[in-house]
Amino acid sequence: RVIFLVTHFHTVWSMIIIILRILPDAIDAATLFIFYILFSFWLASITFDKGPEHASKYMRDFPATLWTLLILLSNNDFPSAMMPAYDVNRLTILFFAVYLII
């Protein structure tokens, strides 16, 4: 194991340097992604808030809406996240299409 580490020591350090060079760009991309999710959450909470009598189980409060948008973005369970709002108003497809395309 020691011989393996010594022979690959330069390779390990070069990989660490590459990761450290990429890290600022990755942090920028993650920050942009977080702001996009939060802006979309704000827009969805304004768009789909119809009062307590129309509360959806997917977009009822902050954690539920945020979780629904993350699931929708990962396309893990796309139809079940979108269909309750789509059943109430078919124009909500505009929000979901723009959200997924951007």
Side-chain angles (χ1 to χ4, degrees), residues 48-61:
F48 301 121
D49 185 22
K50 303 293 184 198
E53 65 276 359
H54 297 300
S56 170
K57 70 178 185 174
Y58 296 103
M59 305 250 187
R60 65 183 179 273
D61 56 0

Side-chain angles (χ1 to χ4, degrees), residues 72 76-84:
L72 185 65
N76 225 359
D77 197 13
F78 172 69
S80 68
M82 185 191 77
M83 290 310 289

Side-chain angles (χ1 to χ4, degrees), residues 33-101:
F33 177 72
I34 289 170
F35 281 126
Y36 176 67
I37 293 290
L38 290 176
F39 174 75
S40 299
F41 155 73
W42 173 74
L43 192 61
S45 64
I46 290 173
T47 304
F48 301 121
D49 185 22
K50 303 293 184 198
E53 65 276 359
H54 297 300
S56 170
K57 70 178 185 174
Y58 296 103
M59 305 250 187
R60 65 183 179 273
D61 56 0
F62 176 75
T65 304
L66 195 58
W67 183 251
T68 300
L69 290 177
L70 284 172
I71 288 174
L72 185 65
L73 191 61
S74 69
N75 287 331
N76 225 359
D77 197 13
F78 172 69
S80 68
M82 185 191 77
M83 290 310 289
Y86 183 73
D87 289 339
V88 173
N89 187 356
R90 294 192 186 267
L91 288 177
T92 57
I93 192 69
L94 295 175
F95 170 79
F96 291 113
V98 169
Y99 175 73
L100 291 174
I101 289 172

Side-chain angles (χ1 to χ4, degrees), residues 1-9 12:
R1 288 186 178 179
V2 174
I3 295 172
F4 181 76
L5 184 62
V6 170
T7 58
H8 290 88
F9 189 76
V12 172

